[in-house]
Amino acid sequence: MSRATPSWLLLLALLSTTFNSSTLAFFARSPLPANTPNNNLVSVVNSSTSKMTLSSTNNDSANAANSNGLRVYQNIPKQETKLHHLHQKYGQSSDGTGIKIAIMDTGCDLSAAGLSGTCSDGNTPKYIDFIDCTGDGDVDMSTAKVVKFDYTKNGTTIQGLSGRNITMGEWAKDVSELKLAAVRLYELLPRSVARRVKKERKEVFMVKHMALLSKTQLQLDELNQSKNNSGDEEEKDEKNVMEKKKKELKLLLEQLTSIKESYDEDSGPLMDILMFQDNNDGGVWKAVLDIHATGDLTNSIPMAPFGHARQVGELGFGSHVTFCIQVYDEGKTLSIVTDAGSHGTHVAGIAASYFAPREDGEDENEEGKKKTKKKSSDNLNGVAPGAQILALKIGDGRLGSSETGTGLIRGLIAAKKYGCDLVNLSYGEPSWQPDSGRVSEVFAKAFNDWGMTVFTSAGNDGPALSSLGSPGSLTSVVTVGAWVSPEMAVEQYSTLPPSSPDSPLKASSYYFSSRGPTPDGFMPDVCGPGGAVAPVPRASLQGKAQYHGTSMSSPNVCGVAACVLSAVRQNGVKDCGPNELKRALKNTAVISGVADPFSQGSGLVSALDCAEYIIKNHGKEGQSIAIDVSIPSRNNARGLYIRDEIELDGPMEFSVLVNPKFSHSNTRTSSELDELLSLELHLSLKSSEEWVTCPESMTLLSAKERNGQSFSVRLDTQSLKPGVHYASVHAVDSSDEQRGPLFSVPITVIVPHSRFVSNNTPKFLLNDSSDESIELNDNGLDLTTTFLLEQGVPNRRFVTVPIGAEWATIKLKSTEATTGGAAPRILLHAIPFVRGDIHNKECQLKRLFVVKEGVEEEYHVRVKGGSSLELCLQLLWLANPSPALVTANIEFHSLNIRSPTLPTLMSSQPITITPSSEFARLGAGSPLRAEQLNPECKLKSILRTLRPSSVDITLGSAERDSEPPSDAELASNAGEEPSQIYEMRLSYTLKVEGDKPVEVTPSFPSLFNQLYDSPVDSQIWSLQDKNAKMITYGSSMHHASSTSLKKGDYTVSLLLRHPNRSTLEQIKDIPCEVSMKMPAPLSCNLYSELDKASTPTVKDDGRKPIEKKLLSKGSHQDIYVARPTDALPSWVAPGDVLQGALVLDKDKEAVSSMKVIYIAPPKSTAKDGDDDKSKAKAKEDSLEDVVFKAKLGHLAGLRTKNVTVYDEIITTLKDERPDSVPLLTEMLTFALEGTLPDGETDSEDQVRLAEVEKVYNQSLTENGGPIDPLALAQYFGLNEPDKDELDTDDEAKELNEGMKEKRDALRKIILERASLCGVVADKDSAEVSRFDNAVKELKQWSNLESLKDEDEKIKLTITLARHARICQEKKALAMSLLLKAKKDLSS
């Protein structure tokens, strides 16, 4: 997922703001799901922007001007990073020419403006290839239907899997074999496009439908108005005909109206796929997709994989989605590659789009001849228009474009395969444990072993500290924050000019840009322009859009890197690797505008300075190696991060371990050995701040024997002012200090503001002007602090949470009178604590509010005693850059929850009521202040744990899932084989019971919320019904929406991947948890007395549950949570876990609730008195029965494999037991599914109908079968015993079971026969009479109520509707039957 800046923030930021006449027209999209890329999707169609004169800033790069002294407006900011200076010195070919960039994203539109043509040289194709790394568009052709084909004999028509007749063109002349498949349009479309297409199709349908309604009404009106002047007999006959027609038309009107009113979203057109191997084109696999779902492929052009012929198609039905194909593993997999959203195209456009110069009239040359003038499109181009793009789709459309481990790892493998220099990934998820897990491991390989520099977005979860996610928190990437210049603010956002010329707009980080440090002290690397007007897919129905986010800053910096690489390669530097490039970018970056190392890292990148740095320092000792830094005493943290006040009083001296990293082959070469032996760098150690002391120098060696070298740093924090402080220890070459740091130790220290107030000194001023202060309130517990908010500057307060506090209430209000201008919009971001295994999103508070005079906003956030709570406020300057003064009151609360299993409100451990206990016990108190207790406990869902029913481990795709060896290994041994990734597919059987549908959500808790740090490559699950119909998908990071399931059997399938088969084998029993929502919540009574809780079912002793009350300070309240006494749903099984929440104060549910679980006990079997009813004795199977059943079971596996053996066994079994109903059922299944006899000229439906007729005849007693229809009719019509008789007479019961078995078998045979008769009659009018007779017999035995199986009910309905249409010529009746059945089955 990406960390998208919620679009509602921007919408509110822009409301009530006065724009001038040329302001961009903003419109906000609806709030985005958590699985969107790292940008804030506020779209702006190409519009002119107003030019404003700005006060000067100290950012000379942002003020770059053209020859006339005016800034050149650019859709994609480039002047800020000094690209024009780079091009001036190294020429226009320093525009990324010769560089390959992999864009790992949602995929790209192959026909988007600026991306569909060439690079800036006019010859090199912009796209190298387009690959779906997720498997989202995969079509399994290994099991596809194969049709032998001869164009001259068979003609041009075959039947596709959709059921349509497919007409082929000249392209099929030399095709001898076709693989047939089908795919639904909506499975290939991005969700936003699918929504649009569905809406448009509905509108078209409604227009046609209303015309049909009008036409039908007109026909009815004409019949009503017609007069019959014929004779009596003729008049009577005519009248009867007219009445029948009227009746039919009235019914038709009813059904058409019903369809209109109950219109449901269509499932989308089903498109046939034909795939074949083209022997006239080198044996390449090609595919033809019926994009219009008409069956007419006469003029279609077979498509080869994109890299073969660069063919691009466009899906139909107004979608305008472009696609290409890929074929893998010798035709086993066809991949239909589409984008999953607009994000990837926009990112690619920023990095490398190229717009050819436009014609601009004519001019005359020196000889007087006219020539076409060309107008430069540089202002439209991406950052590196000379670079090529490898489009890699890692956003899975099945998951709403969320990334998966499969997509990420396949993407990196593909980038290496195609020789990419740079990779951009503008995606991310919450960071749990950076640099751990399989995906993180492969990113490290890509960077260190495969020679690819990976750029990634920092995330959009700022402005509070420690909001950096993954992959931005990984070591082996270049993490980019989002930065904006004053010019960008004006040009892209039409920001109002400052009200005072004394406070000009400042360059700064975007408020949403995620901040460091990570819990282990790591920081972002650099920053870049975080907004752009860039191309988007044509399917979005606009050419370009304005997005902003760290998703935009990352490709901008990646493009800068491409330009730098092309420049240095021109100057002889051919092998600038990832570590050298990253070092150059950081060492030449500059802090610009509002300094913020937590979001900007080393600063804004500078293209020219970076290129010159590389050229000057390339080849110097240690310049190209990675140097890891860690703090052993702090769990090998990558920096120092002192956050909590208690740490300030502890030891402030830390050992730092420095370890050079070499990418060498397994069998080290002599040159690699020389590299180890020769490393000897004399480094000067320099602290950036006086409060950090470090040694003056160290000598860096390879230190393989000791696994690194150490030095110590000492911190003097006692003299630091309140707030956050950042410093670093840099190690520079003592003989060449201009190189800048070879490594750095980031150091962050937080000194809580609350440390400076006490009962003796209750108030502390935070600045000289006394605008800001912090004050301890009279109760000695709460705090009041003021914030002076300025454009671009996050204002932070750090408060030590009192021991025992469980939540804080934050009250915000303005301290200034409203002056008539727009009210300030302010973002509140509070992070209560930072732990390495809990990301900020699990505990933070984030709210946008509008400051209004006299109005106080109140929010609550869970806290942890002893930790530092950060309260960060930032002004949303896009709409209003004027300063604002805000006061915050921070109150601390606690109910002092204690129990054996629940330490505090912040605990993740639930309150548990076990099957054998009737209650759970805990206590509440009020140690800090008087607190309200207003509790309730409700259980809302049921958790069922499933174990796999089957497991299958196979090798992944040889082409997509083979990890290449390191560059060093290949240099040592060119024949080194790649390592293959294994896939494990686990299946879980889910049985849904009960009369009403149940809301179901599967998940895998042991692997959930893990992606970049997951122990396996990927996790993706699917939910299917018993017919293998796909219902929904889910992933490892985001809970899927619940799905309503009716009674029946379902399968949850989980895909796990790992390069080590043994690892997969050891986790093959991983449990699946299925959450099922209860029809209504179950209440658990809360008591203060133990005896009441231990007898929860007693109701007549005057007991009362705990009611709303006030706990005075220091008081205590026992709380006993009794199990629910209402009946559990009938389908709850022993061991199921009922889950809900105990809320201690219903007015503050978000911060006073705890999870409660009740483990369902075994169901009671106790009965009143003796059960005198007779009990049927279990009938044991004889040896002959067991053998017979075994043979019958064996037949199922032979239906499509060995027909000869199947027939032999069937013959034997019929001789043994001609009266066996199970044998008859198996024979029917074979007739419907078995392999067809060779040499048949009839259609498949005709052949199967004939086979079903044989089964029907063999079933009858007159032909030696077990079924006597007359006897069955007599038994169930006249002689069926009642329930009491069956309960007391075992023989009658046994007879009843046998008769029911025969009746059900007869119903099934007759239903299948009638169904096939209908299919045949639909094609051949000579079969109509036969169909009519079959349905008559069917109606004697079956109706919807008599059938239990839903599939049989559907088949019966379709058969009856077909009969009404074909045999009775009553289309309205057919529609009525279908609509009624749909309604009944849906309910």
Side-chain angles (χ1 to χ4, degrees):
M1 133 186 174
S2 53
R3 300 141 286 188
T5 307
S7 54
W8 50 266
L9 292 184
L10 294 167
L11 181 59
L12 284 179
L14 294 163
L15 287 176
S16 304
T17 303
T18 302
F19 297 114
N20 59 36
S21 60
S22 59
T23 299
L24 291 178
F26 279 76
F27 64 91
R29 293 174 64 173
S30 57
L32 295 168
N35 54 5
T36 48
N38 285 335
N39 71 299
N40 185 55
L41 297 180
V42 174
S43 300
V44 179
V45 182
N46 275 351
S47 305
S48 60
T49 56
S50 58
K51 303 293 182 184
M52 298 183 183
T53 304
L54 300 177
S55 303
S56 61
T57 72
N58 59 356
N59 177 25
D60 58 4
S61 65
N63 290 327
N66 63 14
S67 59
N68 297 319
L70 299 174
R71 174 182 168 90
V72 178
Y73 173 79
Q74 296 189 330
N75 283 349
I76 298 168
K78 297 186 278 288
Q79 296 179 7
E80 282 76 2
T81 55
K82 296 185 179 179
L83 269 174
H84 57 295
H85 293 161
L86 179 74
H87 299 329
Q88 286 171 4
K89 182 165 184 177
Y90 293 101
Q92 282 303 314
S93 58
S94 62
D95 64 350
T97 297
I99 305 302
K100 297 178 180 179
I101 303 175
I103 301 294
M104 294 174 56
D105 214 285
T106 59
C108 300
D109 182 356
L110 295 170
S111 298
L115 294 169
S116 59
T118 68
C119 297
S120 58
D121 62 6
N123 295 311
T124 306
K126 177 57 67 177
Y127 282 113
I128 303 168
D129 210 338
F130 184 13
I131 298 171
D132 180 358
C133 303
T134 67
D136 174 22
D138 284 3
V139 180
D140 184 6
M141 305 302 288
S142 65
T143 58
K145 182 177 180 180
V146 178
V147 176
K148 300 293 182 181
F149 183 74
D150 188 327
Y151 189 85
T152 59
K153 292 182 180 179
N154 300 103
T156 61
T157 303
I158 63 170
Q159 188 178 56
L161 289 194
S162 68
R164 295 187 198 94
N165 287 328
I166 306 297
T167 304
M168 295 171 287
E170 292 289 320
W171 55 266
K173 273 190 173 182
D174 297 321
V175 175
S176 60
E177 185 176 276
L178 286 165
K179 287 188 173 185
L180 305 184
V183 64
R184 291 208 176 271
L185 173 69
Y186 297 156
E187 295 175 10
L188 302 177
L189 301 184
R191 287 188 177 180
S192 60
V193 178
R195 285 193 295 268
R196 173 175 63 79
V197 172
K198 287 178 181 180
K199 180 182 177 182
E200 291 172 353
R201 280 169 57 85
K202 181 178 180 180
E203 290 171 353
V204 171
F205 170 83
M206 286 301 176
V207 170
K208 293 181 178 180
H209 194 70
M210 293 304 293
L212 182 58
L213 270 169
S214 300
K215 181 180 178 181
T216 306
Q217 183 65 57
L218 181 61
Q219 290 175 340
L220 182 59
D221 292 344
E222 290 175 348
L223 282 177
N224 288 330
Q225 294 171 7
S226 64
K227 294 182 179 180
N228 192 343
N229 298 317
S230 307
D232 291 343
E233 288 299 325
E234 292 180 4
E235 182 179 351
K236 185 176 181 181
D237 293 340
E238 184 72 19
K239 185 176 181 180
N240 289 336
V241 171
M242 288 180 63
E243 287 301 321
K244 287 182 179 179
K245 287 183 178 179
K246 287 181 184 179
K247 186 177 180 181
E248 175 73 6
L249 287 171
K250 287 179 180 178
L251 183 58
L252 181 58
L253 274 175
E254 289 178 9
Q255 303 315 311
L256 291 175
T257 303
S258 176
I259 290 174
K260 172 179 167 292
E261 294 174 350
S262 62
Y263 180 92
D264 200 359
E265 286 192 353
D266 65 318
S267 56
L270 183 63
M271 303 181 296
D272 282 292
I273 299 169
L274 281 64
M275 193 172 88
F276 62 95
Q277 208 163 7
D278 191 344
N279 294 323
N280 295 328
D281 193 7
V284 67
W285 285 97
K286 295 184 177 180
V288 182
L289 182 61
D290 185 8
I291 56 175
H292 300 297
T294 61
D296 184 4
L297 302 181
T298 307
N299 298 317
S300 297
I301 299 175
M303 294 180 67
F306 182 78
H308 179 79
R310 309 192 63 79
Q311 290 171 290
V312 179
E314 181 175 304
L315 297 174
F317 299 91
S319 67
H320 304 297
V321 171
T322 57
F323 73 97
C324 67
I325 73 158
Q326 305 289 348
V327 181
Y328 299 108
D329 303 320
E330 300 178 347
K332 293 180 180 177
T333 301
L334 169 66
S335 176
I336 303 172
V337 190
T338 61
D339 65 86
S342 60
H343 189 265
T345 303
H346 197 270
V347 166
I350 293 172
S353 60
Y354 171 66
F355 293 84
R358 295 166 290 175
E359 293 187 5
D360 190 29
E362 294 183 337
D363 199 358
E364 292 186 358
N365 59 17
E366 296 176 358
E367 300 172 353
K369 295 181 179 180
K370 291 185 177 182
K371 64 178 183 179
T372 301
K373 292 192 297 184
K374 297 285 187 179
K375 185 176 181 180
S376 172
S377 299
D378 287 347
N379 62 318
L380 303 177
N381 290 340
V383 178
Q388 282 189 282
I389 292 171
L390 174 64
L392 300 172
K393 177 180 172 181
I394 57 93
D396 197 318
R398 296 168 295 186
L399 306 172
S401 79
S402 178
E403 79 271 48
T404 63
T406 297
L408 292 166
I409 292 177
R410 281 180 172 174
L412 292 172
I413 291 172
K416 177 59 178 173
K417 175 182 176 181
Y418 283 84
C420 291
D421 306 283
L422 309 174
V423 176
N424 185 83
L425 176 64
S426 292
Y427 259 72
E429 300 290 350
S431 175
W432 295 79
Q433 294 179 325
D435 282 352
S436 67
R438 262 289 296 164
V439 176
S440 297
E441 176 187 310
V442 179
F443 270 93
K445 281 185 180 181
F447 198 91
N448 298 313
D449 296 340
W450 299 344
M452 300 187 300
T453 308
V454 180
F455 292 83
T456 188
S457 49
N460 299 335
D461 200 30
L465 300 183
S466 302
S467 51
L468 195 63
S470 284
S473 60
L474 303 183
T475 302
S476 298
V477 296
V478 179
T479 301
V480 185
W483 175 93
V484 60
S485 68
E487 290 76 11
M488 289 172 61
V490 172
E491 293 169 354
Q492 294 200 24
Y493 307 108
S494 300
T495 300
L496 287 170
S499 56
S500 170
D502 298 328
S503 55
L505 290 174
K506 301 175 184 177
S508 65
S509 297
Y510 281 87
Y511 64 88
F512 53 74
S513 191
S514 291
R515 266 67 172 181
T518 60
D520 70 339
F522 195 67
M523 300 284 283
D525 295 305
V526 292
C527 66
V533 177
V536 290
R538 295 160 66 250
S540 65
L541 306 185
Q542 62 184 69
K544 295 183 180 180
Q546 194 280 334
Y547 296 164
H548 58 229
T550 54
S551 279
M552 282 64 252
S553 59
S554 181
N556 193 302
V557 172
C558 183
V560 169
C563 294
V564 167
L565 287 180
S566 61
V568 302
R569 287 183 183 180
Q570 293 176 39
N571 284 266
V573 180
K574 306 295 185 183
D575 57 344
C576 178
N579 290 302
E580 185 174 359
L581 177 58
K582 180 176 180 177
R583 185 168 283 125
L585 287 167
K586 293 182 66 173
N587 285 349
T588 58
V590 292
I591 296 293
S592 179
V594 178
D596 188 353
F598 305 107
S599 61
Q600 298 176 12
S602 298
L604 180 67
V605 295
S606 176
L608 178 61
D609 296 335
C610 182
E612 294 190 331
Y613 176 94
I614 292 172
I615 293 170
K616 185 175 182 178
N617 297 297
H618 180 69
K620 292 182 179 179
E621 188 174 18
Q623 192 68 14
S624 62
I625 63 172
I627 302 175
D628 285 355
V629 173
S630 61
I631 315 296
S633 63
R634 298 179 74 86
N635 199 28
N636 293 317
R638 294 169 293 173
L640 279 170
Y641 186 15
I642 310 299
R643 181 176 173 98
D644 296 333
E645 184 175 358
I646 191 171
E647 295 182 272
L648 296 174
D649 300 322
M652 285 288 114
E653 188 169 308
F654 304 91
S655 177
V656 178
L657 180 65
V658 182
N659 197 354
K661 292 292 184 181
F662 303 89
S663 180
H664 288 167
S665 59
N666 293 328
T667 55
R668 194 171 290 109
T669 64
S670 57
S671 61
E672 291 171 343
L673 178 61
D674 290 342
E675 185 180 18
L676 291 174
L677 298 178
S678 63
L679 181 63
E680 185 174 344
L681 276 169
H682 299 286
L683 304 177
S684 297
L685 301 178
K686 298 184 177 183
S687 168
S688 64
E689 301 292 338
E690 293 182 355
W691 52 272
V692 178
T693 304
C694 63
E696 293 184 359
S697 63
M698 73 171 292
T699 300
L700 181 66
L701 307 171
S702 63
K704 283 288 183 181
E705 184 179 3
R706 295 185 299 165
N707 197 29
Q709 297 166 255
S710 299
F711 66 88
S712 295
V713 296
R714 183 185 307 117
L715 311 184
D716 178 11
T717 61
Q718 298 305 311
S719 60
L720 295 179
K721 294 181 179 180
V724 58
H725 302 267
Y726 179 75
S728 58
V729 173
H730 298 305
V732 298
D733 187 344
S734 57
S735 63
D736 191 7
E737 293 192 359
Q738 62 80 30
R739 287 170 66 184
L742 292 177
F743 69 82
S744 299
V745 183
I747 302 170
T748 304
V749 173
I750 290 174
V751 180
H753 295 79
S754 58
R755 186 179 176 90
F756 291 79
V757 295
S758 63
N759 289 325
N760 296 326
T761 312
K763 188 170 184 177
F764 183 82
L765 299 180
L766 301 178
N767 58 23
D768 295 336
S769 64
S770 71
D771 291 324
E772 297 184 293
S773 65
I774 185 167
E775 184 175 358
L776 183 66
N777 293 354
D778 293 341
N779 61 6
L781 175 67
D782 304 330
L783 296 160
T784 300
T785 182
T786 50
F787 293 80
L788 178 61
L789 303 178
E790 298 177 345
Q791 175 255 321
V793 183
N795 202 331
R796 314 178 193 280
R797 296 290 181 273
F798 298 94
V799 176
T800 298
V801 177
I803 298 298
E806 293 177 327
W807 78 90
T809 297
I810 301 167
K811 300 177 180 178
L812 300 162
K813 62 182 179 181
S814 173
T815 57
E816 298 177 312
T818 301
T819 59
R825 275 92 175 152
I826 296 171
L827 181 63
L828 161 66
H829 193 186
I831 294 184
F833 60 89
V834 172
R835 285 176 53 191
D837 62 342
I838 295 182
H839 187 259
N840 63 291
K841 287 193 175 182
E842 295 291 305
C843 57
Q844 70 183 11
L845 168 69
K846 206 170 189 180
R847 295 289 187 274
L848 177 69
F849 65 97
V850 179
V851 175
K852 300 175 183 176
E853 184 179 359
V855 177
E856 184 175 73
E857 302 290 339
E858 181 174 303
Y859 305 101
H860 308 284
V861 60
R862 294 179 189 254
V863 295
K864 180 183 177 185
S867 296
S868 289
L869 164 67
E870 178 187 357
L871 189 64
C872 180
L873 299 183
Q874 182 152 4
L875 189 69
L876 297 193
W877 52 267
L878 292 182
N880 186 354
S882 302
L885 196 62
V886 175
T887 296
N889 185 260
I890 308 168
E891 296 178 357
F892 293 102
H893 297 262
S894 176
L895 282 167
N896 199 31
I897 293 300
R898 291 289 183 270
S899 86
T901 60
L902 191 70
T904 68
L905 272 171
M906 289 301 297
S907 175
S908 62
Q909 297 300 312
I911 301 170
T912 303
I913 306 174
T914 64
S916 58
S917 65
E918 298 284 81
F919 65 91
R921 177 195 323 210
L922 62 152
S926 50
L928 303 181
R929 61 183 345 118
E931 301 285 3
Q932 176 176 279
L933 185 65
N934 185 18
E936 73 171 2
C937 181
K938 291 186 177 180
L939 304 175
K940 297 182 178 180
S941 62
I942 293 171
L943 305 180
R944 179 170 296 171
T945 301
L946 309 176
R947 288 287 187 182
S949 56
S950 68
V951 59
D952 184 28
I953 301 177
T954 59
L955 280 172
S957 168
E959 296 181 55
R960 294 190 284 183
D961 299 321
S962 297
E963 281 187 31
S966 68
D967 291 349
E969 196 64 48
L970 286 174
S972 172
N973 177 14
E976 183 69 20
E977 293 291 331
S979 60
Q980 189 114 10
I981 296 172
Y982 289 88
E983 296 183 337
M984 179 168 70
R985 289 174 172 80
L986 301 172
S987 295
Y988 302 78
T989 300
L990 170 64
K991 193 174 189 65
V992 175
E993 298 176 304
D995 297 330
K996 295 182 179 179
V998 180
E999 297 288 325
V1000 170
T1001 307
S1003 67
F1004 294 83
S1006 63
L1007 294 175
F1008 193 67
N1009 268 335
Q1010 298 178 73
L1011 179 53
Y1012 293 89
D1013 51 359
S1014 173
V1016 294
D1017 288 28
S1018 182
Q1019 314 140 47
I1020 183 169
W1021 58 260
S1022 62
L1023 176 64
Q1024 299 169 287
D1025 66 13
K1026 66 178 182 180
N1027 296 317
K1029 177 186 175 183
M1030 196 62 64
I1031 298 173
T1032 189
Y1033 291 91
S1035 72
S1036 60
M1037 283 305 299
H1038 311 291
H1039 280 297
S1041 300
S1042 61
T1043 302
S1044 180
L1045 299 181
K1046 292 182 286 187
K1047 183 178 181 180
D1049 295 327
Y1050 299 86
T1051 299
V1052 179
S1053 299
L1054 173 67
L1055 171 65
L1056 301 177
R1057 293 158 48 91
H1058 199 275
N1060 189 332
R1061 181 186 176 98
S1062 175
T1063 298
L1064 294 176
E1065 288 177 339
Q1066 293 176 67
I1067 61 172
K1068 65 183 180 183
D1069 291 325
I1070 187 169
C1072 171
E1073 181 180 86
V1074 179
S1075 173
M1076 296 177 281
K1077 185 178 179 181
M1078 285 193 288
L1082 291 177
S1083 295
C1084 297
N1085 286 327
L1086 304 172
Y1087 297 106
S1088 58
E1089 299 95 354
L1090 174 60
D1091 65 320
K1092 305 296 188 295
S1094 60
T1095 55
T1097 55
V1098 176
K1099 297 180 180 179
D1100 54 359
D1101 60 351
R1103 63 179 60 196
K1104 290 184 179 180
I1106 298 175
E1107 298 177 339
K1108 182 177 179 179
K1109 63 187 299 186
L1110 184 70
L1111 295 180
S1112 59
K1113 182 178 179 180
S1115 62
H1116 176 82
Q1117 173 69 60
D1118 288 327
I1119 300 176
Y1120 297 92
V1121 185
R1123 69 163 176 85
T1125 55
D1126 291 339
L1128 305 184
S1130 60
W1131 43 267
V1132 173
D1136 284 351
V1137 176
L1138 284 73
Q1139 178 179 264
L1142 166 63
V1143 179
L1144 297 172
D1145 184 355
K1146 288 184 279 188
D1147 296 334
K1148 298 182 179 67
E1149 182 175 347
V1151 291
S1152 70
S1153 63
M1154 294 168 288
K1155 185 190 294 185
V1156 175
I1157 63 173
Y1158 169 49
I1159 304 171
K1163 294 183 179 180
S1164 175
T1165 57
K1167 296 181 181 179
D1168 295 332
D1170 296 329
D1171 183 9
D1172 295 330
K1173 294 182 179 180
S1174 63
K1175 299 178 181 179
K1177 297 179 181 179
K1179 183 178 179 181
E1180 295 185 2
D1181 287 338
S1182 66
L1183 178 60
E1184 290 79 6
D1185 292 334
V1186 173
V1187 173
F1188 184 84
K1189 289 180 179 179
K1191 290 180 180 179
L1192 201 58
H1194 182 61
L1195 282 173
L1198 298 175
R1199 289 176 199 147
T1200 57
K1201 294 180 180 178
N1202 194 327
V1203 178
T1204 303
V1205 175
Y1206 184 94
D1207 287 339
E1208 291 175 356
I1209 298 177
I1210 279 287
T1211 302
T1212 302
L1213 294 181
K1214 282 196 294 185
D1215 291 340
E1216 289 181 15
R1217 299 192 179 181
D1219 60 344
S1220 171
V1221 176
L1223 177 59
L1224 192 65
T1225 303
E1226 171 58 37
M1227 292 165 60
L1228 177 64
T1229 304
F1230 179 77
L1232 296 170
E1233 301 176 3
T1235 303
L1236 295 176
D1238 293 333
E1240 282 289 350
T1241 58
D1242 292 338
S1243 70
E1244 179 177 339
D1245 295 321
Q1246 288 175 318
V1247 174
R1248 296 205 181 280
L1249 175 56
E1251 294 297 319
V1252 172
E1253 284 282 11
K1254 290 180 184 177
V1255 175
Y1256 174 74
N1257 291 327
Q1258 293 175 17
S1259 71
L1260 303 178
T1261 52
E1262 61 191 65
N1263 298 321
I1267 298 176
D1268 183 347
L1270 183 59
L1272 287 175
Q1274 280 186 324
Y1275 179 83
F1276 289 104
L1278 299 173
N1279 302 328
E1280 185 177 13
D1282 58 22
K1283 185 176 183 300
D1284 291 338
E1285 183 179 348
L1286 292 175
D1287 286 340
T1288 57
D1289 188 337
D1290 291 344
E1291 290 183 2
K1293 185 176 183 180
E1294 185 177 352
L1295 175 62
N1296 182 261
E1297 291 172 351
M1299 295 296 277
K1300 283 183 177 180
E1301 183 184 35
K1302 293 175 182 179
R1303 180 194 61 187
D1304 292 344
L1306 180 62
R1307 280 176 174 170
K1308 188 174 182 65
I1309 294 170
I1310 291 175
L1311 173 60
E1312 296 294 350
R1313 182 180 64 169
S1315 175
L1316 285 168
C1317 280
V1319 174
V1320 173
D1322 225 349
K1323 303 173 184 177
D1324 185 357
S1325 59
E1327 296 288 338
V1328 171
S1329 176
R1330 183 183 183 187
F1331 178 35
D1332 189 35
N1333 292 329
V1335 170
K1336 287 178 181 177
E1337 185 173 4
L1338 172 65
K1339 289 180 177 180
Q1340 293 175 358
W1341 290 99
S1342 297
N1343 55 41
L1344 285 179
E1345 290 72 26
S1346 67
L1347 299 177
K1348 297 179 181 179
D1349 185 81
E1350 186 171 300
D1351 290 341
E1352 291 183 354
K1353 290 183 179 182
I1354 293 172
K1355 184 169 289 187
L1356 173 63
T1357 301
I1358 293 173
T1359 301
L1360 295 178
R1362 182 177 274 135
H1363 179 261
R1365 175 173 57 84
I1366 296 174
C1367 300
Q1368 298 174 292
E1369 297 183 354
K1370 294 181 178 179
K1371 294 181 180 180
L1373 176 59
M1375 291 172 61
S1376 174
L1377 290 168
L1378 292 171
L1379 291 173
K1380 183 179 184 303
K1382 180 184 177 183
K1383 181 179 179 181
D1384 293 342
L1385 291 171
S1386 298
S1387 61

